[in-house]
Amino acid sequence: MAWKTDKFHKRLAESEIGTIRKPWKGRIKVALVYPNTYHVGMSNLGFQSVYYLLNEMEHVVCERGFLPDNKKPGAERIITIESGSPISAFDVIAFSVSFENDFPNLLTIIEKARLPLRSNDRDPPHPLIIAGGVAFFLNPEPVATFVDCFLIGEAEAILPRFFDTALPELLNQDRTSCLKTLACNVPGAYVPAFYTVTYHSDGTFRTFEPKCDVPVKIERPFLKDLSQTPTCSTILTPDTTFDRTFLIEVGRGCPHGCRFCSTGFVYRPPRFRPLSLLQTCLQHGVSMTDQIGLVGAAVSDHPEIHKLCDQKFEKNIRISFSSLRADALSPQLLSVLRESKVKTATIAPEAGSQRMRNIINKGISEEDILTAAETLVAQGIPNLKLYFMVGLPLETMDDVEAIVTLCKQIKHRFLKSSRARKRIGEITVSLSSFVPKPFTPFQWLAMDDMGSLKKKIKTVKQGLKRVANVRVHADVPRWAYIQALLARGDRKVVQILSLAHKNRGNWPKTFKESPINPDFYVLRERSLDEDLPWDFIDHGINKSFLKQEYQRALQGKTSPPCPMESCTICGVCKESVRNKE
């Protein structure tokens, strides 16, 4: 297609390797939109993989759109990278959303596309607006009014059937018929308009009921076997965090079951790709670039990660890892880091005291952390980044001060190892506020209030202020509060989100004007027998298992990792167990 776009968008496309362009005629036209800027969206492997999957379908053409950077020309326009067409000209606008704090951007993009905000105000020829991504695996209700259909499940398991089903209905231009067909025939397709929610007099969630003959529960489709399905970068561009790094997803899910982390629960069971497939992906990546990034929640847990690291290449290849546990730094991994000239390695203790690490089921000891820090620096990696959270359940100020103590101990080991190499780097301490998430054992807990979070952050900053070569970065508790509101809200939160949009993102003004008290969602502890707004989503996990993990956390007890084979512990593998019997 001919370019119809501005110089900024054209420059982006021309800097890319792997852009897909297909003719529109006779195909469903999909605008895949990331509700953030190009730089952020193109750093997301999930977004890139959906782009590839859609364009692999013969009857679909997919182009990308992003939230405009207000500093760039044409910031009021939402046009695609490939052809410069307005997203309103497409049959489908598909949002890929990873983070709750991007929810407000959905409204901004819909408005900039000059479309009605609410689903029930849109009719043909308006595009069908669908949305997927891990944020909606957890809870789509705060934006339910704005989206026609959510796809709750892994893209590879849901997209082909969705578009095979949608094609004839879209051609008929009957929106209600199309949505009804999708809701009834595509596992994971959730159409909010077909469900009614009610509330108790105290404001708590009461019922979630179908208005018509659609599924009562939305079951998440997922790929049971990753051995035939590679997930890699589709497009390489310098305009991302990774700067022409070819990303390869090693596996999905995490066996360790950290109680604050939704990834360890909604992606159960944990699955790893076979070595042979990863080697093929590596060879493909090496043909395009000299920078490879291995991605996953538990990269170092891959049973054959050592063999993958032992790969030999004709040219110097730099390999980086998205996550490495402090207790899993094998000689092979360290060798790859050293040969790849990695300048900064990340360790995530999450908490300063062993008591807190037991509560969150982190599964690493203080000695694991200290040894990892010392070993990394000894291997020639000069800088360390440490991730901690404040506001965790049952946390005391002693636990917060333990973060300072642990950082000083790490600095001591770091300094000792650095001096031996005659080079002293930096330690960056990253503090984030704990946000309770759906489908985790902590989903019932209240979030710490902003005053307490600010005090805890200040304690860590003050405690490390005079420690040389240590910098502390902390998130803003107010934004964590908003994230908690959007993560655990019900459909009434739509009103708050709409008001925030009207106020152009002025949240203090929004909270003052809102008839709904946001503290009800953020600072209120739920009872274990309360019905939750997201209970209609079925990830296969027994709620009783999450309650058991919640109780074990309160008792300071740890739980073993997922055995990664058919068992009856959490409920996800119950079908496999029945088949074996």
Side-chain angles (χ1 to χ4, degrees):
M1 296 187 70
W3 283 104
K4 300 179 287 185
T5 188
D6 54 58
K7 291 181 180 179
F8 173 67
H9 282 78
K10 188 173 183 180
R11 182 190 65 76
L12 285 180
E14 289 177 343
S15 73
E16 296 178 339
I17 299 173
T19 305
I20 300 170
R21 294 186 177 88
K22 295 168 69 176
W24 283 19
K25 188 175 181 180
R27 292 184 169 94
I28 297 178
K29 301 178 288 294
V30 181
L32 179 64
V33 181
Y34 196 87
N36 211 307
T37 61
Y38 177 92
H39 177 87
V40 176
M42 289 305 295
S43 301
N44 187 289
L45 182 56
F47 178 80
Q48 288 212 31
S49 64
V50 171
Y51 174 71
Y52 174 80
L53 287 167
L54 289 174
N55 278 311
E56 277 288 282
M57 301 178 199
E58 178 57 33
H59 57 292
V60 173
V61 55
C62 176
E63 299 187 358
R64 295 161 294 142
F66 302 90
L67 184 73
D69 186 333
N70 288 328
K71 298 177 183 177
K72 303 296 183 183
E76 290 305 310
R77 305 169 66 206
I78 306 285
I79 59 176
T80 59
I81 298 295
E82 284 74 8
S83 68
S85 302
I87 62 172
S88 57
F90 288 72
D91 301 310
V92 178
I93 296 175
F95 285 105
S96 176
V97 185
S98 302
F99 306 103
E100 293 89 355
N101 280 22
D102 283 334
F103 285 4
N105 293 339
L106 267 70
L107 279 68
T108 300
I109 290 169
I110 294 171
E111 182 182 72
K112 284 179 178 289
R114 298 177 183 175
L115 299 171
L117 284 180
R118 294 177 179 267
S119 173
N120 59 10
D121 292 330
R122 295 192 294 267
D123 289 302
H126 294 140
L128 190 72
I129 294 184
I130 66 175
V134 69
F136 297 133
F137 286 23
L138 304 178
N139 181 18
E141 291 301 272
V143 292
T145 302
F146 312 110
V147 175
D148 297 319
C149 180
F150 292 95
L151 304 186
I152 298 174
E154 295 181 1
E156 300 91 342
I158 192 171
L159 286 177
R161 186 162 179 178
F162 179 89
F163 281 98
D164 284 343
T165 305
L167 178 59
E169 298 292 340
L170 285 172
L171 293 176
N172 290 335
Q173 293 284 298
D174 186 337
R175 181 179 295 267
T176 302
S177 172
C178 177
L179 291 172
K180 180 74 179 293
T181 301
L182 291 169
C184 292
N185 295 283
V186 180
Y190 166 49
V191 180
F194 294 152
Y195 297 84
T196 300
V197 295
T198 61
Y199 304 90
H200 294 288
S201 58
D202 63 358
T204 57
F205 188 79
R206 183 182 180 186
T207 61
F208 177 90
E209 296 178 340
K211 295 179 183 179
C212 53
D213 186 21
V214 291
V216 176
K217 286 230 172 194
I218 307 299
E219 294 187 14
R220 165 210 59 156
F222 68 97
L223 281 183
K224 295 180 181 179
D225 181 9
L226 299 180
S227 63
Q228 303 300 315
T229 312
T231 299
C232 310
S233 294
T234 303
I235 294 172
L236 294 185
T237 170
D239 296 291
T240 69
T241 302
F242 305 109
D243 188 18
R244 293 204 186 281
T245 298
F246 185 84
L247 302 179
I248 302 170
E249 185 187 56
V250 170
R252 286 187 192 163
C254 176
H256 296 284
C258 296
R259 292 171 179 139
F260 61 87
C261 179
S262 56
T263 299
F265 295 93
V266 298
Y267 281 107
R268 287 194 174 209
R271 292 146 288 155
F272 290 110
R273 287 184 168 83
L275 177 64
S276 58
L277 181 60
L278 294 178
Q279 289 172 330
T280 301
C281 294
L282 264 174
Q283 293 295 339
H284 178 56
V286 167
S287 70
M288 300 171 67
T289 181
D290 61 354
Q291 299 180 71
I292 303 293
L294 301 181
V295 177
V299 172
S300 52
D301 286 290
H302 191 286
E304 296 184 288
I305 190 66
H306 304 144
K307 294 181 181 178
L308 190 65
C309 291
D310 285 339
Q311 287 279 102
K312 303 299 180 184
F313 301 100
E314 294 181 3
K315 57 181 178 180
N316 292 328
I317 301 299
R318 297 187 178 189
I319 299 178
S320 58
F321 303 84
S322 66
S323 60
L324 291 172
R325 282 178 61 88
D327 58 348
L329 293 178
S330 66
Q332 291 94 333
L333 290 179
L334 290 167
S335 174
V336 169
L337 292 173
R338 183 178 62 251
E339 291 174 8
S340 297
K341 299 178 182 178
V342 171
K343 300 300 181 186
T344 302
T346 299
I347 304 174
E350 311 293 4
S353 67
Q354 191 59 47
R355 185 185 84 92
M356 283 308 310
R357 287 193 291 275
N358 289 345
I359 287 171
I360 65 176
N361 204 42
K362 182 63 183 177
I364 58 174
S365 67
E366 182 176 288
E367 189 53 38
D368 289 331
I369 298 163
L370 295 174
T371 300
E374 186 173 7
T375 303
L376 286 166
V377 178
Q379 291 296 318
I381 301 166
N383 306 307
L384 295 179
K385 189 169 187 177
L386 308 173
Y387 281 109
F388 291 95
M389 286 186 288
V390 292
L392 286 163
L394 306 181
E395 183 180 68
T396 67
M397 287 308 294
D398 286 342
D399 296 309
V400 176
E401 288 165 0
I403 295 175
V404 175
T405 302
L406 180 58
C407 287
K408 289 180 177 178
Q409 289 177 300
I410 293 171
K411 170 66 188 298
H412 176 74
R413 295 278 190 104
F414 172 86
L415 196 59
K416 179 181 176 183
S417 193
S418 296
R419 280 175 176 161
R421 299 185 61 84
K422 297 182 180 179
R423 182 181 179 184
I424 299 176
E426 284 191 336
I427 297 176
T428 302
V429 178
S430 179
L431 287 177
S432 61
S433 302
F434 164 69
V435 173
K437 290 295 186 77
F439 296 105
T440 69
F442 292 159
Q443 66 180 348
W444 292 279
L445 289 164
M447 183 176 166
D448 211 349
D449 66 84
M450 283 193 284
S452 176
L453 291 170
K454 289 176 182 178
K455 180 181 177 182
K456 291 172 180 179
I457 290 170
K458 184 177 180 181
T459 296
V460 176
K461 284 185 171 182
Q462 288 291 103
L464 296 173
K465 186 177 181 180
R466 302 194 193 298
V467 181
N469 299 94
V470 174
R471 297 182 300 164
V472 179
H473 295 305
D475 69 1
V476 179
R478 178 165 61 92
W479 290 114
Y481 178 97
I482 293 168
Q483 184 187 9
L485 169 67
L486 300 175
R488 301 206 297 170
D490 53 37
R491 284 199 196 180
K492 289 185 288 185
V493 171
V494 164
Q495 299 175 53
I496 302 178
L497 198 54
S498 297
L499 192 55
H501 178 69
K502 178 184 174 184
N503 291 330
R504 296 294 181 238
N506 187 332
W507 284 95
K509 181 181 179 183
T510 296
F511 291 145
K512 285 181 182 178
E513 295 178 354
S514 174
I516 298 169
N517 182 5
D519 289 351
F520 180 80
Y521 301 99
V522 180
L523 304 181
R524 181 178 64 87
E525 185 171 341
R526 276 75 160 160
S527 65
L528 290 180
D529 59 355
E530 181 177 329
D531 291 318
L532 302 172
W534 49 86
D535 280 345
F536 71 92
I537 300 173
D538 183 4
H539 287 288
I541 301 174
N542 295 330
K543 205 171 181 180
S544 59
F545 168 73
L546 296 178
K547 290 179 180 179
Q548 179 183 314
E549 283 297 294
Y550 170 82
Q551 296 287 2
R552 290 181 68 83
L554 297 183
Q555 297 163 12
K557 294 181 179 178
T558 60
S559 296
C562 171
M564 295 180 61
E565 59 186 24
S566 297
C567 71
T568 58
I569 296 173
C570 74
V572 170
C573 297
K574 52 183 176 285
E575 183 179 333
S576 300
V577 172
R578 280 199 300 268
N579 291 340
K580 281 186 176 182
E581 294 172 348

